[in-house]
Amino acid sequence: AQSVAQPEDQVNVAEGNPLTVKCTYSVSGNPYLFWYVQYPNRGLQFLLKYITGDNLVKGSYGFEAEFNKSQTSFHLKKPSALVSDSALYFCAVLTNAGKSTFGDGTTLTVKP
Amino acid sequence: NAGVTQTPKFRILKIGQSMTLQCTQDMNHNYMYWYRQDPGMGLKLIYYSVGAGITDKGEVPNGYNVSRSTTEDFPLRLELAAPSQTSVYFCASSYTPNSPLHFGNGTRLTVT
C-alpha cells in the first residue's frame, strides 16, 4: 500500500530563517508527489508537485521541494520564512486512478 | 471563475437525520472527489468520480452515497447521520488523474 508520513506535527521557525517541512513516502513504482497548504477555515491549495525530472521542484510563494529517491523523501523548503507562511502543510502521494493519499499534516508557525 | 463551490459552510444535524452536501465546479474537470478531514489527521477519501455517471468508493465510504449526473455537480449524501460523521468535508476536482487537486472551502458538519 502506498503511504505518506510527515514525522513532525509542528515546526517552529523565526521569520527570515530557512524552513523545512519533512515528508517521506512509500510507493510501488515512480511516485507522483504533491505539497498543499491549508489556511484556517479554507480548503487546501496546491503548492508544487514532482512527477519526473529535476529533483529540486519550485512552486508557489517561494517554496521548493527536494525529491530524494534513495531516502524516499520529498521535503518542503523555503530559504527565508515569512509570518504569513504560518499554516498547515500536507504532503500527498498520487495512487491509482488519481486518488491521493495525504499525510497527517504539519503545522508551521513562523514567529516575528 | 468560482472554482469549486461547496454548500452549506456549516451544518448541525441530529443523530438519524439525513442531508446532502453540495459541490459544484466550473472548470470542466472530469475528476471529482470527496474527502473528510478529522482533527490532527490527513484527508481521507470517501468517494470519487472519473466522469458523469461514474462513481466509486474511496477509503471510508460507509454511511455515505454520491451521484454524478453532470460534469459540474457531485453531491454527497448522508442518510442516517451518526456522531462519527462529525468532520469537515472537502470536495475537490482535477483536470486529469495526475493534475493537482482544486479544493472547495469545506463544509463543517456536527452530528449530535
Side-chain angles (χ1 to χ4, degrees), chain B residues 46-58:
Chain B
I46 305 171
Y47 270 96
Y48 68 101
S49 170
V50 301
I54 306 170
T55 63
D56 207 348
K57 296 177 181 178

Side-chain angles (χ1 to χ4, degrees), chain B residues 19-75:
Chain B
M19 77 164 293
T20 299
L21 282 67
Q22 302 290 348
C23 175
T24 187
Q25 51 93 8
D26 62 359
M27 297 171 283
N28 203 32
H29 287 171
N30 281 325
Y31 295 82
M32 294 189 75
Y33 310 84
W34 274 105
Y35 288 90
R36 59 177 286 172
Q37 183 181 27
D38 298 313
M41 299 180 70
L43 280 69
K44 304 294 183 189
L45 182 65
I46 305 171
Y47 270 96
Y48 68 101
S49 170
V50 301
I54 306 170
T55 63
D56 207 348
K57 296 177 181 178
E59 189 181 353
V60 290
N62 291 344
Y64 307 95
N65 216 331
V66 294
S67 59
R68 184 94 183 272
S69 57
T70 67
T71 298
E72 294 77 20
D73 300 308
F74 190 40

Side-chain angles (χ1 to χ4, degrees), chain A residues 9 32 34 36 38 41-46 49 51 88 90 94-105, chain B residues 31 33 35 37 40-45 48 50 57-58 90 94 97-106 108:
Chain A
D9 291 335
Y32 287 12
F34 297 79
Y36 292 87
Q38 185 181 30
N41 300 314
R42 302 295 299 272
L44 280 67
Q45 297 176 32
F46 168 71
K49 67 179 179 181
I51 303 291
L88 184 56
F90 289 97
L94 202 61
T95 60
N96 58 314
K99 295 177 286 185
S100 295
T101 295
F102 288 84
D104 288 345
Chain B
Y31 295 82
Y33 310 84
Y35 288 90
Q37 183 181 27
M41 299 180 70
L43 280 69
K44 304 294 183 189
L45 182 65
Y48 68 101
V50 301
K57 296 177 181 178
F90 288 101
S94 65
N98 300 334
S99 301
L101 296 171
H102 295 254
F103 284 85
N105 284 332
R108 186 175 297 274

